[in-house]
Amino acid sequence: MTNDWARARLHVVTGKGGTGKTTVASAIALALASAPAHVLLTEVEGRQGISQTFDVPPLGTDETRIVRLSGGGEVVGLSIDPKAALLEYLQMFYKLGRAGRLLEKFGAIDFATTIAPGVRDVLLIGKIYEANRRRRDGKHKGDAPPVYDGIVLDAPPTGRIGRFLSVNSEVADLARVGPIASQASSITRLLQSDQTVVHVVTLLEEMPVQETLESIDELRDKGLHPGAVIVNMVREPLLDDVALDQAREGRLHKASIRTQLTEAGVSATPELVDGLLEEARDHAERIDLEREQLALLEATGLPIVQLPALPAGVDSGSVRELADLLVPLFLSQRADAEVEA
């Protein structure tokens, strides 16, 4: 593990759909909170994945505590809605409180957040930017400690993450001056600073790994900082390396398999034995593929974290188990930052 992102306060989590991105983001938030720390966990896709993961009521546009740890840390949840963010933005910069509500009534807010996706992303990330700046004395600048020790963003998937985080270029053609352009520039400075890292969640399968490699290259090209590659849903081999070699080459001993089945009280029919041998060969080939994909990920030079598959499914308890596995990585980074400071 390196301390290249030891100073990070904003942890962006992306990954191909189906890799368990929300589960991992939730586990990272719990790992950071165990310091103990005050952590904000946010989502921007409107799927209510966080509330489902922690089995709490659906999150709204207000920051709501969803977990309090025995050591004093806590996780606060927030589901950022572009419509609410735009109304808040109009009030903040243009004092359009009542007029903004009229715009919503006539559908202008929906139109604005749909027709200009770059502006939509600025509004979404702008809420996170504001939470990152907020201090405990109510100000956005000064020596007071920040409200949140860390922020975790359950971000859009790898196919959209580069565009989502490129807020400056996305709004350049829409607003070259004014509050939106100014905020986009400020957000970009945060995203490209050492305060922000982007973790990529993947599986040891060809398509997720390919998207992971492409997204890492894209992030680097855009001046953003990849953090860790988190390999999710890892299953340990059912056979040792010797048995895997034998299975791959069709050299597993049939007589021994029949004997073991019989001793276990199972009728060792030829069809059953042949079926087991076929499954063993498929398993060996699957392990070979996973090891090839892992080697490709290791070639990125980023820290690799492997999380086990959860046979009983995802719930708040199993997410805490994953968080325990992430603690050594994320808290060691915080310790490195404190030592350097």
Side-chain angles (χ1 to χ4, degrees):
M1 301 303 180
T2 69
N3 67 348
D4 292 345
W5 42 277
R7 297 184 183 278
R9 293 187 62 248
L10 172 56
H11 297 264
V12 180
V13 183
T14 185
K16 180 176 171 59
T19 59
K21 171 174 64 69
T22 298
T23 300
V24 172
S26 301
I28 290 174
L30 285 173
L32 291 170
S34 68
H38 191 52
V39 178
L40 177 65
L41 174 60
T42 67
E43 62 184 8
V44 294
E45 296 181 279
R47 297 184 297 105
Q48 289 296 332
I50 294 173
S51 62
Q52 294 172 31
T53 299
F54 288 100
D55 194 22
V56 297
L59 297 175
T61 55
D62 295 325
E63 295 163 17
T64 306
R65 187 174 68 196
I66 54 178
V67 176
R68 183 160 195 166
L69 302 179
S70 58
E74 64 178 15
V75 176
V76 173
L78 174 65
S79 180
I80 303 175
D81 175 67
K83 183 191 297 185
L86 180 53
L87 286 170
E88 181 179 328
Y89 187 89
L90 292 173
Q91 171 60 22
M92 183 182 303
F93 289 104
Y94 297 102
K95 308 302 180 185
L96 295 182
R98 187 174 179 182
R101 289 191 291 274
L102 286 173
L103 288 172
E104 180 184 13
K105 181 178 180 180
F106 289 106
I109 301 298
D110 285 329
F111 177 78
T113 56
T114 302
I115 201 68
V119 172
R120 179 181 184 275
D121 291 344
V122 170
L123 294 169
L124 293 173
I125 303 178
K127 288 286 291 182
I128 298 162
Y129 172 77
E130 185 275 332
N132 182 67
R133 296 178 63 213
R134 203 186 314 149
R135 304 286 162 176
R136 294 180 188 176
D137 60 3
K139 300 178 181 179
H140 288 89
K141 295 181 180 180
D143 298 328
V147 170
Y148 293 109
D149 302 299
I151 299 174
V152 180
L153 167 60
D154 180 11
T158 46
R160 206 169 80 79
I161 190 64
R163 181 173 180 176
F164 177 76
L165 296 177
S166 301
V167 292
N168 210 2
S169 59
E170 288 297 317
V171 302
D173 294 334
L174 295 169
R176 296 184 181 276
V177 295
I180 289 182
S182 176
Q183 187 173 36
S185 296
S186 299
I187 292 171
T188 297
R189 284 194 294 272
L190 169 65
L191 295 179
Q192 293 182 342
S193 74
D194 60 4
Q195 289 191 51
T196 303
V197 290
V198 185
H199 308 293
V200 187
V201 183
T202 189
L203 307 177
L204 290 179
E205 299 174 2
E206 289 179 303
M207 287 200 61
V209 168
Q210 183 60 36
E211 280 202 21
T212 296
L213 299 176
E214 291 173 355
S215 66
I216 291 171
D217 289 341
E218 182 182 22
L219 292 170
R220 286 170 168 163
D221 289 344
K222 291 179 178 292
L224 303 166
H225 304 287
V229 175
I230 301 175
V231 182
N232 198 21
M233 306 184 203
V234 176
R235 290 179 171 81
E236 292 295 324
L238 302 175
L239 304 172
D240 61 28
D241 285 346
V242 173
L244 286 172
D245 288 339
Q246 292 174 343
R248 190 183 303 108
E249 298 168 6
R251 294 189 292 106
L252 286 174
H253 197 253
K254 280 190 177 184
S256 176
I257 294 174
R258 281 195 294 268
T259 299
Q260 293 178 59
L261 288 171
T262 301
E263 290 175 350
V266 178
S267 176
T269 64
E271 293 79 12
L272 176 59
V273 173
D274 289 343
L276 289 173
L277 292 173
E278 182 67 24
E279 287 190 18
R281 182 164 53 250
D282 291 344
H283 179 65
E285 292 174 353
R286 172 67 186 175
I287 296 301
D288 290 344
L289 174 63
E290 290 182 349
R291 289 174 176 173
E292 290 173 3
Q293 300 306 307
L294 182 59
L296 293 173
L297 295 173
E298 290 173 340
T300 64
L302 298 175
I304 307 290
V305 183
Q306 297 190 51
L307 297 179
L310 301 171
V314 177
D315 57 27
S316 58
S318 58
V319 172
R320 292 188 187 219
E321 294 177 18
L322 297 180
D324 290 341
L325 297 175
L326 293 171
V327 163
L329 171 63
F330 284 86
L331 294 197
S332 70
Q333 301 300 324
R334 291 178 64 89
D336 288 340
E338 290 168 2
V339 169
E340 290 177 10

